Amino acid sequence: MNTTKTITLAYTGASGMPYGVRLLELLLAGGNRVYLLYSQAAQIVAHQEMQLVLPSRPKEAEELFSRRFNAAEGQLRVFGREDWFAPVASGSNPADAMVVCPCTMGTLAAIAAGLSQKLIERSADVMLKENRKLILVPRETPFSPIHLENMLKLARSGAIIMPPNPGFYHHPETVQDMVDFVVARILDHLGVAQSLMPRWGEQN
Ligand SMILES: Cc1cc2nc3c(=O)[nH]c(=O)nc-3n(C[C@H](O)[C@H](O)[C@H](O)COP(=O)(O)O)c2cc1C
């Protein structure tokens, strides 16, 4: 039985890029196909937080991450911000699920308003209209009433709102442990097998 999935993963310019990069690593390691999208602000934040240069040319990013994470030929595809011919742009070819991680308040608002002006927003819009899983990992603190109203609207429209709030009951010792806590929860919601974190009640 083929249990691998096609996942659209979008990075936007919120703090939390290590979550997004770790998620990409584990999705690829699990044999899943990934369509990767990222905003201009995500390029700035990736450099600020991880000294990671996200190339402006999608093909270069494809090569960079495929090499870094040992992806199979064609397993990772990266699309430009206005590549309206990308499969993710249409409801006739939606991915199994989409994750926006990290998700800015700006992109969250655009999705909530149905703007679809950039490919990330459009792909998210497609997931909602096609009743596919859309996971948003919004990062801001504190949340304003506008942020909260947008999140409520999206949750009522079928999106899963998963703020990257690490728990402490597993006694994290490193930043990586905290990143993995959040990423494990996202993978669980995607239905992608993970061995980062035992589920509650399954600890040995
Ligand atoms: C280092 C850095 C950290 C940022 N962190 C956040 C954040 O945590 N949440 C947020 O909503 N915006 C954050 N921003 C602002 C967004 O990047 C900015 O609003 C941008 O226009 C969002 O564009 P995008 O949604 O297309 O990525 C940050 C910007 C920078 C440079």
Short mmCIF file of all heavy atoms in Angstrom, two decimals, residues 11-16 39-42 44-45 48-49 103-108 118 120-121 138-141 147, ligand 1:
data_model
loop_
_atom_site.label_atom_id
_atom_site.label_comp_id
_atom_site.label_asym_id
_atom_site.label_seq_id
_atom_site.Cartn_x
_atom_site.Cartn_y
_atom_site.Cartn_z
N TYR A 11 6.45 28.54 3.26
CA TYR A 11 7.14 29.34 4.27
C TYR A 11 6.75 30.80 4.07
O TYR A 11 6.87 31.32 2.96
CB TYR A 11 8.67 29.27 4.11
CG TYR A 11 9.31 27.91 4.20
CD1 TYR A 11 10.54 27.68 3.57
CD2 TYR A 11 8.74 26.87 4.92
CE1 TYR A 11 11.18 26.45 3.66
CE2 TYR A 11 9.37 25.64 5.01
CZ TYR A 11 10.58 25.43 4.38
OH TYR A 11 11.20 24.22 4.47
N THR A 12 6.34 31.47 5.14
CA THR A 12 6.14 32.92 5.06
C THR A 12 7.06 33.59 6.08
O THR A 12 7.76 32.92 6.83
CB THR A 12 4.66 33.31 5.26
OG1 THR A 12 4.27 32.97 6.59
CG2 THR A 12 3.76 32.61 4.26
N GLY A 13 7.04 34.92 6.09
CA GLY A 13 8.05 35.65 6.84
C GLY A 13 7.76 35.85 8.31
O GLY A 13 7.94 36.95 8.84
N ALA A 14 7.32 34.80 8.99
CA ALA A 14 7.16 34.86 10.44
C ALA A 14 8.34 34.17 11.08
O ALA A 14 8.99 33.32 10.46
CB ALA A 14 5.86 34.17 10.87
N SER A 15 8.59 34.50 12.32
CA SER A 15 9.64 33.81 13.04
C SER A 15 9.25 32.33 13.18
O SER A 15 8.08 32.00 13.32
CB SER A 15 9.80 34.45 14.42
OG SER A 15 10.90 33.86 15.08
N GLY A 16 10.25 31.47 13.10
CA GLY A 16 9.96 30.03 13.22
C GLY A 16 10.39 29.22 12.02
O GLY A 16 9.89 28.12 11.79
N SER A 39 7.53 33.00 0.49
CA SER A 39 7.35 34.43 0.21
C SER A 39 8.70 35.14 0.26
O SER A 39 9.70 34.59 0.74
CB SER A 39 6.40 35.05 1.24
OG SER A 39 7.03 35.10 2.51
N GLN A 40 8.68 36.38 -0.20
CA GLN A 40 9.90 37.20 -0.16
C GLN A 40 10.34 37.43 1.29
O GLN A 40 11.53 37.35 1.60
CB GLN A 40 9.60 38.54 -0.83
CG GLN A 40 10.83 39.23 -1.32
CD GLN A 40 10.48 40.35 -2.28
OE1 GLN A 40 9.30 40.70 -2.45
NE2 GLN A 40 11.48 40.93 -2.89
N ALA A 41 9.37 37.69 2.17
CA ALA A 41 9.72 37.91 3.58
C ALA A 41 10.30 36.64 4.20
O ALA A 41 11.15 36.71 5.09
CB ALA A 41 8.48 38.38 4.34
N ALA A 42 9.87 35.48 3.72
CA ALA A 42 10.42 34.22 4.24
C ALA A 42 11.91 34.13 3.92
O ALA A 42 12.69 33.60 4.72
CB ALA A 42 9.68 33.03 3.63
N ILE A 44 13.96 36.59 3.85
CA ILE A 44 14.64 37.47 4.81
C ILE A 44 14.73 36.77 6.18
O ILE A 44 15.79 36.74 6.81
CB ILE A 44 13.88 38.81 4.94
CG1 ILE A 44 13.92 39.56 3.61
CG2 ILE A 44 14.47 39.67 6.06
CD1 ILE A 44 12.96 40.73 3.53
N VAL A 45 13.64 36.19 6.61
CA VAL A 45 13.62 35.56 7.93
C VAL A 45 14.51 34.30 7.95
O VAL A 45 15.20 34.05 8.94
CB VAL A 45 12.17 35.24 8.37
CG1 VAL A 45 12.15 34.52 9.70
CG2 VAL A 45 11.36 36.54 8.48
N GLN A 48 17.91 35.54 8.45
CA GLN A 48 18.06 36.11 9.80
C GLN A 48 18.15 35.02 10.87
O GLN A 48 18.98 35.09 11.78
CB GLN A 48 16.86 37.04 10.07
CG GLN A 48 16.72 37.53 11.48
CD GLN A 48 17.78 38.56 11.84
OE1 GLN A 48 18.38 39.17 10.96
NE2 GLN A 48 18.02 38.75 13.12
N GLU A 49 17.29 34.01 10.74
CA GLU A 49 17.21 33.01 11.81
C GLU A 49 18.16 31.84 11.65
O GLU A 49 18.57 31.22 12.62
CB GLU A 49 15.77 32.47 11.91
CG GLU A 49 14.79 33.55 12.32
CD GLU A 49 13.42 33.01 12.70
OE1 GLU A 49 13.01 31.97 12.17
OE2 GLU A 49 12.78 33.66 13.54
N CYS A 103 3.55 30.82 9.59
CA CYS A 103 2.54 31.62 8.90
C CYS A 103 2.45 33.01 9.52
O CYS A 103 2.22 33.15 10.72
CB CYS A 103 1.19 30.92 9.01
SG CYS A 103 -0.14 31.77 8.15
N THR A 104 2.64 34.03 8.70
CA THR A 104 2.54 35.42 9.20
C THR A 104 1.08 35.82 9.37
O THR A 104 0.17 35.22 8.79
CB THR A 104 3.16 36.43 8.21
OG1 THR A 104 2.42 36.33 6.98
CG2 THR A 104 4.62 36.19 7.97
N MET A 105 0.91 36.88 10.12
CA MET A 105 -0.43 37.45 10.28
C MET A 105 -0.92 38.02 8.95
O MET A 105 -2.12 38.03 8.67
CB MET A 105 -0.41 38.55 11.36
CG MET A 105 -0.10 38.03 12.75
SD MET A 105 -1.19 36.69 13.28
CE MET A 105 -0.16 35.26 13.02
N GLY A 106 0.03 38.48 8.13
CA GLY A 106 -0.33 39.02 6.82
C GLY A 106 -0.89 37.94 5.90
O GLY A 106 -1.96 38.12 5.28
N THR A 107 -0.20 36.82 5.82
CA THR A 107 -0.68 35.74 4.95
C THR A 107 -1.96 35.14 5.52
O THR A 107 -2.89 34.82 4.77
CB THR A 107 0.43 34.67 4.78
OG1 THR A 107 1.49 35.25 4.03
CG2 THR A 107 -0.09 33.45 4.04
N LEU A 108 -2.02 35.04 6.84
CA LEU A 108 -3.24 34.55 7.49
C LEU A 108 -4.45 35.42 7.10
O LEU A 108 -5.52 34.92 6.74
CB LEU A 108 -3.04 34.59 9.01
CG LEU A 108 -4.11 33.95 9.84
CD1 LEU A 108 -3.68 32.55 10.24
CD2 LEU A 108 -4.38 34.75 11.09
N LYS A 118 -1.19 35.85 -4.34
CA LYS A 118 0.09 35.15 -4.50
C LYS A 118 -0.20 33.65 -4.46
O LYS A 118 -1.24 33.23 -3.97
CB LYS A 118 1.05 35.54 -3.36
CG LYS A 118 1.52 36.99 -3.43
CD LYS A 118 2.68 37.12 -4.39
CE LYS A 118 2.97 38.50 -4.91
NZ LYS A 118 3.02 39.58 -4.02
N ILE A 120 0.89 31.27 -2.65
CA ILE A 120 0.64 30.68 -1.33
C ILE A 120 -0.83 30.85 -0.94
O ILE A 120 -1.51 29.90 -0.54
CB ILE A 120 1.57 31.31 -0.26
CG1 ILE A 120 3.02 30.92 -0.52
CG2 ILE A 120 1.13 30.89 1.16
CD1 ILE A 120 4.03 31.58 0.41
N GLU A 121 -1.32 32.08 -1.11
CA GLU A 121 -2.72 32.36 -0.75
C GLU A 121 -3.69 31.57 -1.61
O GLU A 121 -4.70 31.04 -1.15
CB GLU A 121 -3.03 33.85 -0.93
CG GLU A 121 -2.15 34.78 -0.14
CD GLU A 121 -2.21 36.20 -0.69
OE1 GLU A 121 -3.16 36.55 -1.42
OE2 GLU A 121 -1.29 36.98 -0.39
N PRO A 138 0.52 29.76 12.82
CA PRO A 138 0.66 31.21 12.93
C PRO A 138 1.57 31.61 14.08
O PRO A 138 1.49 31.05 15.17
CB PRO A 138 -0.77 31.67 13.22
CG PRO A 138 -1.38 30.53 13.95
CD PRO A 138 -0.71 29.28 13.44
N ARG A 139 2.42 32.57 13.82
CA ARG A 139 3.34 33.00 14.89
C ARG A 139 3.27 34.52 15.05
O ARG A 139 3.60 35.27 14.13
CB ARG A 139 4.76 32.55 14.55
CG ARG A 139 5.71 32.63 15.72
CD ARG A 139 6.32 34.00 15.82
NE ARG A 139 6.66 34.33 17.20
CZ ARG A 139 6.93 35.57 17.59
NH1 ARG A 139 6.89 36.57 16.75
NH2 ARG A 139 7.21 35.80 18.84
N GLU A 140 2.84 34.91 16.22
CA GLU A 140 2.84 36.32 16.65
C GLU A 140 2.53 36.31 18.12
O GLU A 140 1.93 35.35 18.63
CB GLU A 140 1.77 37.12 15.88
CG GLU A 140 1.84 38.62 16.10
CD GLU A 140 3.23 39.19 15.94
OE1 GLU A 140 3.95 39.20 16.97
OE2 GLU A 140 3.62 39.61 14.86
N THR A 141 2.96 37.33 18.84
CA THR A 141 2.54 37.44 20.23
C THR A 141 2.64 38.89 20.68
O THR A 141 3.61 39.55 20.35
CB THR A 141 3.38 36.51 21.15
OG1 THR A 141 2.74 36.41 22.42
CG2 THR A 141 4.80 37.01 21.35
N HIS A 147 -6.15 39.42 14.45
CA HIS A 147 -5.53 38.10 14.25
C HIS A 147 -6.48 36.99 14.69
O HIS A 147 -6.66 35.99 14.01
CB HIS A 147 -4.23 37.98 15.06
CG HIS A 147 -3.21 39.02 14.76
ND1 HIS A 147 -2.31 39.49 15.71
CD2 HIS A 147 -2.93 39.70 13.62
CE1 HIS A 147 -1.53 40.39 15.16
NE2 HIS A 147 -1.88 40.54 13.90
C1 LIG B 1 13.05 38.80 11.34
C2 LIG B 1 11.55 39.02 11.09
C3 LIG B 1 10.65 38.37 11.90
C4 LIG B 1 9.28 38.53 11.69
N1 LIG B 1 8.41 37.84 12.50
C5 LIG B 1 7.09 37.90 12.25
C6 LIG B 1 6.20 37.08 13.01
O1 LIG B 1 6.60 36.30 13.90
N2 LIG B 1 4.88 37.12 12.68
C7 LIG B 1 4.40 37.93 11.70
O2 LIG B 1 3.19 37.91 11.45
N3 LIG B 1 5.22 38.74 10.97
C8 LIG B 1 6.56 38.74 11.22
N4 LIG B 1 7.42 39.51 10.49
C9 LIG B 1 6.85 40.48 9.52
C10 LIG B 1 6.48 39.83 8.19
O3 LIG B 1 7.62 39.23 7.59
C11 LIG B 1 5.90 40.90 7.24
O4 LIG B 1 4.65 41.32 7.73
C12 LIG B 1 5.76 40.44 5.81
O5 LIG B 1 5.16 41.44 5.03
C13 LIG B 1 4.94 39.18 5.70
O6 LIG B 1 4.88 38.79 4.34
P1 LIG B 1 4.45 37.33 3.93
O7 LIG B 1 3.20 37.00 4.68
O8 LIG B 1 4.22 37.44 2.45
O9 LIG B 1 5.59 36.43 4.23
C14 LIG B 1 8.81 39.38 10.67
C15 LIG B 1 9.74 40.03 9.86
C16 LIG B 1 11.09 39.85 10.07
C17 LIG B 1 12.07 40.55 9.16
#
